Amino acid sequence: MNKKIIKNAAVVYATVSLFAVPLFADSRKQNQMPPRNQHEIPSRPMMLDTAAHAVLGDWILRTQNSEIKIEIERDGEMEIIWKQGFMTETEWKGFWTATDSEITFTVRIKEVEDWSGGTKKKTSESMNAVWKIAYTRDGNTLTLNSSDLPKEIGGNVTYIFDYY
């Protein structure tokens, strides 16, 4: 009888060991952060409420000479990209939060790419700005109004939902 209990215990121990080891073997890898670019903004987790769901996604405004794209990500990151033709692109990157009528965009980086003269010139500068942006959403349109936004993209502007 004792031999049977010992044999069963050994089988149970071996089985548990086979399944438990792979669970813990890669735990160190899962907790490691990937290397970051010096200009990359670290993600910050956020809780999504109803107001946040109203603004999530990519919003586009196209004019004859430019395109403004606002990317509002689920992980709390936000980017505003302003393209002037094929020559210049300005991008503001940072974090966002929202209420039911206002987006707060904490801007951390401004990058400018210029392709004039047949070469690409890229500049990047750190920022520490907070832009308060009033918004209303009506179906697939998002109307933004803010005196904090750069004058080229500010004012009372309506964006069309591009994709989520």
Side-chain angles (χ1 to χ4, degrees):
M1 181 130 192
N2 285 340
K3 287 183 182 181
K4 190 175 186 179
I5 293 173
I6 292 172
K7 215 184 242 187
N8 287 341
V11 169
V12 169
Y13 175 77
T15 304
V16 169
S17 296
L18 286 173
F19 289 108
V21 170
L23 292 176
F24 297 105
D26 289 340
S27 64
R28 194 179 92 251
K29 285 183 185 178
Q30 291 173 354
N31 292 330
Q32 289 178 339
M33 295 292 290
R36 295 200 176 270
N37 179 324
Q38 69 179 7
H39 298 295
E40 188 176 339
I41 299 169
S43 297
R44 76 178 166 87
M46 66 178 291
M47 300 300 291
L48 294 178
D49 58 14
T50 306
H53 284 289
V55 297
L56 280 177
D58 290 357
W59 302 89
I60 301 278
L61 172 66
R62 291 184 177 98
T63 66
Q64 189 173 8
N65 300 323
S66 69
E67 175 184 287
I68 302 168
K69 182 177 183 183
I70 299 176
E71 298 176 358
I72 303 174
E73 304 293 334
R74 187 176 295 278
D75 64 1
E77 291 183 19
M78 181 173 168
E79 297 179 9
I80 298 178
I81 304 156
W82 175 43
K83 297 179 182 180
Q84 304 96 53
F86 295 107
M87 303 306 281
T88 307
E89 179 178 304
T90 305
E91 187 172 358
W92 294 270
K93 298 178 182 181
F95 301 111
W96 69 278
T97 57
T99 66
D100 59 352
S101 62
E102 183 177 77
I103 300 168
T104 301
F105 181 26
T106 304
V107 186
R108 295 294 185 211
I109 296 170
K110 177 184 177 184
E111 294 179 344
V112 178
E113 292 183 2
D114 185 6
W115 291 275
S116 60
T119 61
K120 178 180 169 183
K121 179 183 176 187
K122 184 174 183 176
T123 59
S124 181
E125 65 181 88
S126 294
M127 292 182 67
N128 189 20
V130 176
W131 296 349
K132 300 286 187 179
I133 308 165
Y135 79 90
T136 56
R137 180 170 179 182
D138 184 17
N140 284 339
T141 62
L142 184 70
T143 303
L144 304 180
N145 194 354
S146 175
S147 59
D148 292 340
L149 291 169
K151 67 179 188 256
E152 299 86 0
I153 62 173
N156 192 9
V157 183
T158 300
Y159 293 82
I160 304 299
F161 185 72
D162 192 39
Y163 63 91
Y164 181 66

